[in-house]
Amino acid sequence: MIESKSRVAIYCRLSEEDRNKQSETDDSNSIQNQKSMLLQYSLEHGWEVYNIYSDDDYTGSDRRRPEFNRLLEDAKNRKFDIVLCKTQSRFTRELELVEKYIHGLFPIWGIRFISIVDNADTANKGNKKSRQINGLVNEWYLEDMSENIKSVLTDRRKNGHHIGAFALYGYKKDPDVKGHLIIDEEAAEVVREVFTLFSQGYGKTAIARMLNDRGIPNPTEYKRLHGLRYKQPKTKNSTLWKYFAISDMLVNEIYIGNMVQGKYGSVSYKTKQNKPRPKDEWYRVEGTHEPIIDRELWDRGSSIGSSKGKTFHSWHNRFICQKSSLYELWLYNAFVKESW
């Protein structure tokens, strides 16, 4: 039976656990299959496809999904009449959002929600409880999956396996041994130079300036140029070395062969937000991979860093506690900006 002409918004979602890609920029096979199924369903019912919204590598509990939020904005502006998904869980796994949108705002906006596989359809008043049960089951699934994943990751951290999405600058993921790091010699040379310069008394800002003057790309830009996975920078001038990149490098024990993980923990399984964890709760395992920096150079740098820290606090206390001259103020600022 051909229904009256309606505008339909197709929504597809794929999460990390069912991803099947050839490369990072390709749509997964599963996303393609979802699109094909939903387009065929729309054609059979004589609907006009307004748009296809597709989120790849996002969980059903992530409220920051870009295409999901674009769909909601377009729904609010009544740009289509139907939201069509493969399953209700592709739209959301949270019961709260099922009630807010599927049973709340969508009817107010005049939008019908349909998911094919689990037969959810807001035009059918009789299956509201079924949609609510689906939402509850999906919520349980999220919680159980989160606990299972957390347990597995904790075990791997305790055993010194690297579990991060990105290898630290100076290293690459071992293609033959999962969770093991191997040295990326080109980047490792820069790491050794940074530690050596610092041990010779150069400040962190000065080291960053030296690397920038020679056109050496910072860790993010280096990975981008070499086709390695990296986290998208949030600021401009992202190709330049900064003070904090040098500072973080000089205290990272991964460079001496120790695996240190678990510095941050998730707030809830419903969000990707993280919060710092106390240092005594970090997972630290020694000798898990080949070091880039030998212990002597590391200790020399640590000694210098500790000495500068004491000097910094000495100058800070003197500046605060006494009526400093303009000359002392100039020295204080010069020390903070250039030496520390």
Side-chain angles (χ1 to χ4, degrees), residues 87-311:
T87 63
Q88 183 175 299
S89 65
R90 294 293 166 178
F91 179 75
T92 182
R93 287 190 179 276
E94 290 190 73
L95 183 58
E96 180 185 344
L97 295 189
V98 171
E99 292 301 319
K100 180 177 180 178
Y101 291 106
I102 296 178
H103 297 152
L105 292 174
F106 281 1
I108 294 173
W109 295 337
I111 291 174
R112 178 182 175 188
F113 177 85
I114 300 172
S115 60
I116 300 173
V117 174
D118 45 14
N119 198 33
D121 186 349
T122 52
N124 181 353
K125 303 298 181 183
N127 71 7
K128 180 177 180 181
K129 285 185 171 60
S130 175
R131 295 192 297 271
Q132 290 172 321
I133 291 171
N134 279 341
L136 185 58
V137 170
N138 286 324
E139 185 94 26
W140 289 339
Y141 168 81
L142 275 179
E143 189 171 2
D144 289 345
M145 184 177 67
S146 174
E147 289 302 316
N148 290 338
I149 291 174
K150 188 183 296 184
S151 176
V152 171
L153 294 183
T154 296
D155 186 62
R156 290 184 62 78
R157 286 188 182 111
K158 287 180 177 178
N159 286 289
H161 298 290
H162 179 265
I163 64 167
F166 318 103
L168 181 68
Y169 177 74
Y171 286 98
K172 296 185 291 188
K173 291 187 174 184
D174 190 333
D176 300 319
V177 183
K178 187 175 181 180
H180 182 249
L181 296 178
I182 56 176
I183 292 178
D184 177 354
E185 195 53 48
E186 183 179 347
E189 278 301 309
V190 179
V191 174
R192 294 187 188 102
E193 182 178 0
V194 168
F195 275 86
T196 300
L197 288 171
F198 187 69
S199 72
Q200 292 172 350
Y202 288 91
K204 298 165 190 176
T205 302
I207 295 172
R209 186 184 299 117
M210 292 167 69
L211 296 177
N212 290 329
D213 289 344
R214 285 163 48 199
I216 296 176
N218 72 359
T220 301
E221 181 66 4
Y222 174 85
K223 290 181 179 182
R224 188 188 70 79
L225 293 172
H226 287 73
L228 303 172
R229 293 192 69 186
Y230 64 96
K231 186 175 182 180
Q232 287 286 355
K234 298 179 180 179
T235 59
K236 295 181 180 179
N237 298 324
S238 58
T239 63
L240 299 177
W241 287 87
K242 302 289 180 64
Y243 168 91
F244 290 106
I246 302 297
S247 182
D248 290 344
M249 179 183 291
L250 291 169
V251 296
N252 199 322
E253 287 190 51
I254 289 181
Y255 290 122
I256 56 172
N258 300 337
M259 189 61 66
V260 183
Q261 300 179 104
K263 295 181 180 181
Y264 294 86
S266 61
V267 176
S268 164
Y269 71 88
K270 292 186 177 184
T271 176
K272 289 187 176 181
Q273 289 183 324
N274 289 323
K275 63 179 180 180
R277 303 176 68 216
K279 194 169 184 177
D280 58 0
E281 293 182 10
W282 294 356
Y283 300 97
R284 182 178 179 278
V285 183
E286 296 186 2
T288 59
H289 53 274
E290 184 180 357
I292 292 176
I293 303 303
D294 62 48
R295 194 75 203 200
E296 181 183 353
L297 181 56
W298 171 270
D299 290 340
R300 199 157 67 238
S302 297
S303 174
I304 291 173
S306 175
S307 174
K308 285 187 177 183
K310 291 176 182 177
T311 306

